[in-house]
């Protein structure tokens, strides 16, 4: 007998953030969560882009689902590159993504970042993905335990994300699914405040809607410092192949204002759109004759608007920070890593004593491409992480990823 998904999804802005940069998607054969980053709007666009592109590919009809998922990640990377080219102020945008597509009794998984996929089977919770974070590399190297990683101050530092700049390879895997299995995807707004044991207890709720409600509510009760998104689906066996259901889209990917800023992206239908959400076209107002007496005030108004936009843009740029390299050393910059003509939109405010060449290879690439920071304090936090990484490589130069790990003697 055929297997089907019975699913539910929910996304909440949380108690601290001003906007929701998460996106979620659930359909008969595909589940997705994505956690955007890069600040308001940029993060929303990043997570919405990757969600829409993966949801729009005909992966369920493919004989090689893993290849289709990898191609979808590549396509999202290219689309974000185009967005950044048109809107340089969005440089620094990025997103995680975790997607599960199933065919028959197999679930194909694509994963980038620190969102997670779990499977509940016979009461036991199994984690299907591994976080792409700096802290996870410490766990893998045996330097800290999983329990220490959960409270580590650097636990949110990603080493892999879809950002439209750096080439990224998703983790790809296949799992068997059985009737009675329950699959849960979530962003780190949930897994960052609830332990796996707590998640296991809550995800056992009677049905997918009850499970997503219990999980998100629990994260909110813990303070929800980040956006919270959760997708839950049951694998059920049915006598006949059921009619296709409309998918559920939540978070940034479901917002009309986000979709309107991505005209080149085809978004999936959403069964949760409220009736009348699509505004009807309004009758155009009668045209007003534009005599000479009206041109002068219009010109003054236009100049005032342009001036206000330029001033607002300059103020915004002056409040941005990022970490990059200056003369071979890790440095903090104020502004954005762009130029207008010959005018640079950033300037160094602090050059550290951390040589870039002493960082792990992946960290060198991140610094060279620049690492966006929320503010000066966040930039200093990132520098602290890089300093710790450089110190670890100096202490253990043969550690995988460190510059000395692949250095060979010259014959």
């Amino acid at each position: 007998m055929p297997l089907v998904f019975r699913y539910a999804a929910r996304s909440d802005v949380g108690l601290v953030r001003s906007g929701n940069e998460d996106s979620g998607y659930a359909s008969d054969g595909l589940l997705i969560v994505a956690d955007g980053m890069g600040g308001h709007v940029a993060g929303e666009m990043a997570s919405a882009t990757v969600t829409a592109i993966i949801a729009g590919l005909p992966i369920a009809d493919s004989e090689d689902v893993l290849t289709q998922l990898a191609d979808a990640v590549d396509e999202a990377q290219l689309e974000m590159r185009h967005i950044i080219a048109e809107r340089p102020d969005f440089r620094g945008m990025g997103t995680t993504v975790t997607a599960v597509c199933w065919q028959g009794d197999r679930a194909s998984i694509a994963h980038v970042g620190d969102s997670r996929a779990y499977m509940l089977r016979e009461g036991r919770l199994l984690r299907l993905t591994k976080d792409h974070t700096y802290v996870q590399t410490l766990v893998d190297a045996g330097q800290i335990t999983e329990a220490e990683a959960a409270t580590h101050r650097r636990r949110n530092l990603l080493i892999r994300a879809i950002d439209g700049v750096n080439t990224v390879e998703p983790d790809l895997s296949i799992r068997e699914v059985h009737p009675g299995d329950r699959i849960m995807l979530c962003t780190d707004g949930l897994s960052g405040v609830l332990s796996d044991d707590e998640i296991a207890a809550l995800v056992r709720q009677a049905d997918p809607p009850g499970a997503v409600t219990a999980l998100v509510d629990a994260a909110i009760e813990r303070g929800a410092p980040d956006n919270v998104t959760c997708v839950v689906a049951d694998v059920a066996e049915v006598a006949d192949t059921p009619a296709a259901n409309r998918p559920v889209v939540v978070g940034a990917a479901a917002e009309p204002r986000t979709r309107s800023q991505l005209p080149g992206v085809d978004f999936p239908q959403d069964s949760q759109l409220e009736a009348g959400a699509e505004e009807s076209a309004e009758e155009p107002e009668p045209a007003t004759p534009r005599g000479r007496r009206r041109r002068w005030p219009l010109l003054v108004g236009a100049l005032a608007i342009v001036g206000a936009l330029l001033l607002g843009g300059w103020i915004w740029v002056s409040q941005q920070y990022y970490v990059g390299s200056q003369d071979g050393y890790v440095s903090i910059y104020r502004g954005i890593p762009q130029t207008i003509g010959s005018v640079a939109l950033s300037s160094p405010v602090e050059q550290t004593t951390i040589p870039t060449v002493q960082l792990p290879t992946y960290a060198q690439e991140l610094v060279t491409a620049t690492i966006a920071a929320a503010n000066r304090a966040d930039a200093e936090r990132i520098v602290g992480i890089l300093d710790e990484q450089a110190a670890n490589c100096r202490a253990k130069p043969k550690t995988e990823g460190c510059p000395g790990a692949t250095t060979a003697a010259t014959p």
Side-chain angles (χ1 to χ4, degrees):
M1 290 189 290
L3 300 179
V4 297
F5 268 167
R6 293 193 173 117
Y7 50 82
R10 182 181 171 189
S11 185
D12 194 282
V13 70
L15 302 179
V16 176
R17 300 294 179 90
S18 59
N20 194 347
E21 297 180 283
D22 284 2
S23 292
Y25 175 89
S27 70
D28 289 324
L30 180 64
L31 312 175
I32 307 170
V33 295
D35 183 355
M37 64 200 76
H40 184 60
V41 180
E44 294 177 2
M45 293 174 67
S47 70
T49 296
V50 70
T51 298
I53 288 176
I54 294 179
L57 291 180
I59 51 182
D61 299 327
S62 172
E63 295 182 358
D64 189 351
V65 178
L66 290 181
T67 298
Q68 287 283 353
L69 287 171
D71 289 345
V73 170
D74 290 342
E75 185 176 342
Q77 181 83 344
L78 289 174
E79 182 62 30
M80 288 172 57
R81 188 169 300 166
H82 294 155
I83 293 172
I84 294 170
E86 295 176 356
R87 296 286 302 273
D89 52 315
F90 285 167
R91 184 179 177 88
M93 71 188 299
T95 184
T96 71
V97 68
T98 301
V100 176
C101 176
W102 69 276
Q103 287 180 308
D105 60 352
R106 297 186 307 166
S108 299
I109 305 169
H111 169 69
V112 178
D114 62 352
S115 296
R116 291 181 179 176
Y118 293 88
M119 177 184 288
L120 184 71
R121 173 173 290 172
E122 297 178 351
R124 182 186 176 196
L125 188 70
L126 308 172
R127 192 188 302 180
L128 305 181
T129 56
K130 178 183 287 189
D131 296 346
H132 296 145
T133 59
Y134 165 65
V135 167
Q136 186 63 50
T137 65
L138 299 181
V139 174
D140 294 341
Q143 298 182 23
I144 62 174
T145 65
E146 287 280 0
E148 292 170 330
T151 58
H152 198 284
R153 57 177 180 163
R154 315 294 192 199
R155 62 185 179 276
N156 295 325
L157 181 61
L158 290 174
I159 60 173
R160 201 187 303 183
I162 305 171
D163 60 6
V165 177
N166 300 293
T167 301
V168 62
E169 294 290 337
D171 286 350
L172 302 172
S173 59
I174 294 178
R175 292 271 184 157
E176 286 188 1
V177 291
H178 303 156
D181 287 346
R182 174 168 286 183
I183 297 175
M184 192 275 280
L185 275 59
C186 67
T187 58
D188 69 334
L190 180 73
S191 58
V193 296
L194 299 177
S195 68
D196 281 3
D197 288 341
E198 291 170 322
I199 290 173
L202 292 167
V203 81
R204 294 190 184 102
Q205 298 292 328
D207 56 14
V212 297
T213 299
L215 288 163
V216 174
D217 286 350
I220 292 173
E221 290 175 3
R222 291 290 176 85
D226 199 354
N227 308 143
V228 186
T229 299
C230 177
V231 176
V232 173
D234 283 346
V235 180
E237 197 170 41
V238 295
D240 299 313
T241 302
N245 296 312
R246 293 185 68 182
V248 175
V249 188
V250 296
E255 291 287 340
R257 60 193 177 97
T258 304
R259 297 186 177 196
S260 66
Q261 296 184 76
L262 296 168
V265 177
D266 293 328
F267 282 88
Q269 292 182 335
D270 183 2
S271 62
Q272 296 190 152
L273 282 176
E274 297 179 0
E278 297 181 0
E279 299 180 0
S280 59
E282 298 180 358
E283 290 294 329
E285 296 181 359
T288 302
R290 295 185 299 167
R292 292 182 180 179
R293 289 176 295 177
R294 294 184 57 85
R295 291 178 182 174
W296 176 249
L298 286 174
L299 178 60
V300 173
L303 291 174
I305 292 173
V306 171
L309 290 174
L310 290 174
L311 177 61
W314 177 253
I315 293 174
W316 179 84
V317 168
S318 66
Q319 295 174 342
Q320 305 306 302
Y321 288 88
Y322 68 91
V323 176
S325 179
Q326 181 190 24
D327 300 329
Y329 290 87
V330 175
S331 301
I332 296 176
Y333 287 78
R334 182 178 184 179
I336 59 175
Q338 303 292 332
T339 59
I340 298 179
S342 60
V343 179
L345 298 183
S346 65
S347 59
V349 295
E350 179 184 346
Q351 185 181 63
T352 73
T353 58
I354 309 170
T356 307
V357 295
Q358 291 185 3
L359 295 170
T361 304
Y362 65 84
Q364 293 183 32
E365 294 175 355
L366 290 174
V367 171
T368 300
T370 72
I371 305 173
N375 47 44
R376 175 65 182 270
D378 190 39
E380 292 174 349
R381 177 186 66 82
I382 294 170
V383 167
I385 295 173
L386 295 172
D387 190 22
E388 185 176 331
Q389 292 177 336
N392 288 339
C393 282
R394 288 194 298 269
K396 298 180 179 180
K398 300 301 182 181
T399 301
E400 183 180 358
C402 289
T406 57
T407 301
T410 303

